[in-house]
Amino acid sequence: MGEHPSPGPAVAACAEAERIEELEPEAEERLPAAPEDHWKVLFEKFDPGSTGYISTGKFRSLLESHSSKLDPHKKEVLLALADSHADGQICYQDFVNLMSNKRSNSFRQAILQGNRRLSSKALLEEKGLSLSQRLIRHVAYETLPREIDRKWYFDSYTCCPPPWFMITVTLLEVALFLYNGVLLNQFVLQVTHPRYLKNSLVYHPQLRAQAWRYVTYIFMHAGVEHLGLNVVLQLLVGVPLEMVHGATRIGLVYVAGVVAGSLAVSVADMTAPVVGSSGGVYALVSAHLANIVMNWSGMKCQFKLLRMAVALICMSMEFGRAVWLRFHPSAYPPCPHPSFVAHLGGVAVGITLGVVVLRNYEQRLQDQSLWWIFVTMYTIFVLFAVFWNIFAYTLLDLKLPPPP
């Protein structure tokens, strides 16, 4: 009977409310690297009634209390998002996504519709940046049309992993070209050498059953002039795109362009072989140029009109060279020189799948209806081309050149 009664639920709730107003230092130290379970505990502190929502005011207080742990641009973006909720509430999943630096599919739209304007100071106006920071800022302005995305990328990019995909592909292309050049003792217009098509990497219509050739043909080039332009475009366009969108997305666009290129040749230019990485390169460059045109006012890259004109001239010259070579008297009759149709297959991928990827920085592609439309179109084309390669050559009684 002498025992003190235990505090009731109301007293406990009051004590909990007091803890909400001032977070413990230990929690603040753990916040930036906390797992999702900790976010749930933290959210419940702000939502003692388990409603599944917290007020934007409390969310702002949380951001302010941890401002030293957040990059300034991210804090600015998150505060703008808090002000964008007209109902004054943020749900649990938004809370987790934001505090874990995961931008939900509606993130950008919520920012654009927010009541709070972002700081008028653009990323380009910031001074005192290191060389690496200036490089990252340059990449952001080269590839992203919205200031909110540029600031987010500038604070998020860590160069881990580096843009390994485009660099690896480029190094392999150069190494195999040099190796083949030594074997043939020819570097300019290698494709005119009588033994050129004997390489097992080249796509040849008589050997179309060897499925690897639909991809490995990118490691063979018609000559140093062909290789040079592709390498320059891969490094100047592909590497910055990979730094922003990641190896998975850019690799997907590149490989899709490569496969579409060889399959397009097998359908539209059935007797010709294929060499060169132009299918993948044209997919990336076409997607990038289309993204610039579609977001012309937002893209702040310098001399964009002049640079687009130069890129289009270079691509047109390369395409013209490929067309000329295709109809030039062959060095290994009756087989013609390699086809130019792979370039067109790459462009088709770039202005469809590629544009969707580049227009949805850090957004889930599977939530985009256009993504599924273009994926379906691409899948239908691949299946059609596969059946075409199995049956059409026989049904058309097409006379193919002998294997090399």
Side-chain angles (χ1 to χ4, degrees):
M1 293 182 63
E3 295 180 354
H4 294 286
S6 59
V11 177
C14 290
E16 186 69 19
E18 292 176 359
R19 285 196 295 271
I20 292 173
E21 297 297 325
E22 183 174 348
L23 294 176
E24 296 177 354
E26 292 81 0
E28 180 174 348
E29 294 301 320
R30 294 195 306 267
L31 185 59
E36 186 167 328
D37 287 344
H38 179 67
W39 298 132
K40 183 173 178 62
V41 173
L42 188 59
F43 187 89
E44 289 174 348
K45 286 184 178 181
F46 282 80
D47 180 31
S50 300
T51 63
Y53 294 88
I54 61 173
S55 69
T56 54
K58 290 180 179 179
F59 180 66
R60 289 175 61 87
S61 299
L62 176 65
L63 291 178
E64 293 292 349
S65 65
H66 296 85
S67 59
S68 61
K69 303 296 182 181
L70 294 172
D71 293 314
H73 296 142
K74 287 185 180 177
K75 177 187 172 185
E76 183 181 338
V77 170
L78 296 177
L79 287 173
L81 181 67
D83 286 341
S84 71
H85 286 256
D87 57 358
Q89 292 183 319
I90 294 178
C91 71
Y92 170 68
Q93 192 56 52
D94 280 344
F95 178 83
V96 172
N97 288 342
L98 294 175
M99 300 307 293
S100 303
N101 290 338
K102 297 177 181 177
R103 307 205 300 174
S104 65
N105 189 47
S106 59
F107 185 94
R108 180 184 296 147
Q109 194 64 28
I111 292 294
L112 296 177
Q113 295 176 352
N115 298 320
R116 176 185 182 274
R117 290 188 176 183
L118 295 176
S119 171
S120 58
K121 183 178 180 181
L123 182 60
L124 195 60
E125 299 173 2
E126 297 197 3
K127 307 296 183 183
L129 300 180
S130 65
L131 179 62
S132 60
Q133 288 177 319
R134 290 200 298 270
L135 174 62
I136 295 171
R137 181 178 65 178
H138 174 75
V139 170
Y141 275 92
E142 287 291 310
T143 55
L144 296 171
R146 298 174 179 85
E147 185 68 15
I148 193 72
D149 288 336
R150 291 192 283 261
K151 288 184 175 182
W152 189 272
Y153 168 74
F154 180 81
D155 286 326
S156 301
Y157 186 70
T158 61
C159 198
C160 185
W164 61 269
F165 177 79
M166 293 309 308
I167 293 176
T168 301
V169 169
T170 301
L171 291 176
L172 285 173
E173 289 172 0
V174 172
L176 289 170
F177 174 81
L178 294 175
Y179 174 76
N180 203 46
V182 171
L183 287 181
L184 301 178
N185 194 28
Q186 183 173 339
F187 292 91
V188 178
L189 284 177
Q190 266 187 15
V191 71
T192 60
H193 196 284
R195 297 200 311 273
Y196 179 82
L197 292 183
K198 292 184 180 296
N199 195 294
S200 60
L201 300 178
V202 176
Y203 169 84
H204 191 281
Q206 278 283 20
L207 303 173
R208 63 188 184 280
Q210 299 175 358
W212 70 84
R213 293 177 180 263
Y214 289 90
V215 176
T216 58
Y217 74 91
I218 68 171
F219 299 114
M220 298 291 294
H221 283 80
V224 67
E225 66 289 341
H226 186 200
L227 173 72
L229 181 60
N230 281 345
V231 165
V232 168
L233 290 176
Q234 282 181 179
L235 295 179
L236 292 183
V237 178
V239 170
L241 289 178
E242 185 178 346
M243 289 175 64
V244 173
H245 297 280
T248 301
R249 290 191 174 190
I250 297 305
L252 174 65
V253 175
Y254 187 87
V255 173
V258 168
V259 174
S262 54
L263 289 176
V265 172
S266 71
V267 172
D269 197 3
M270 300 169 65
T271 62
V274 189
V275 297
S277 58
S278 298
V281 171
Y282 275 52
L284 292 180
V285 176
S286 299
H288 182 51
L289 295 181
N291 191 42
I292 292 177
V293 172
M294 295 169 68
N295 299 279
W296 187 259
S297 61
M299 296 298 292
K300 301 301 182 182
C301 48
Q302 295 180 329
F303 311 112
K304 55 186 175 183
L305 184 59
L306 175 62
R307 291 163 64 180
M308 278 194 64
V310 172
L312 290 173
I313 290 172
C314 291
M315 294 173 67
S316 299
M317 291 176 60
E318 159 58 19
F319 183 71
R321 180 209 59 81
V323 174
W324 168 82
L325 182 63
R326 168 64 179 84
F327 297 106
H328 190 268
S330 176
Y332 23 76
C335 183
H337 282 146
S339 177
F340 59 86
V341 177
H343 298 68
L344 304 179
V347 171
V349 169
I351 62 178
T352 53
L353 290 175
V355 168
V356 175
V357 169
L358 299 192
R359 282 175 58 84
N360 288 280
Y361 168 63
E362 278 200 349
Q363 308 301 302
R364 287 163 53 90
L365 293 178
Q366 54 266 42
D367 292 339
Q368 312 298 320
S369 56
L370 270 180
W371 169 254
W372 289 112
I373 291 173
F374 291 141
V375 166
T376 302
M377 292 170 58
Y378 184 82
T379 303
I380 292 173
F381 167 72
V382 170
L383 292 175
F384 168 78
V386 168
F387 282 102
W388 181 272
N389 276 271
I390 295 173
F391 301 109
Y393 285 78
T394 303
L395 294 175
L396 296 175
D397 195 22
L398 189 67
K399 186 176 181 180
L400 294 175

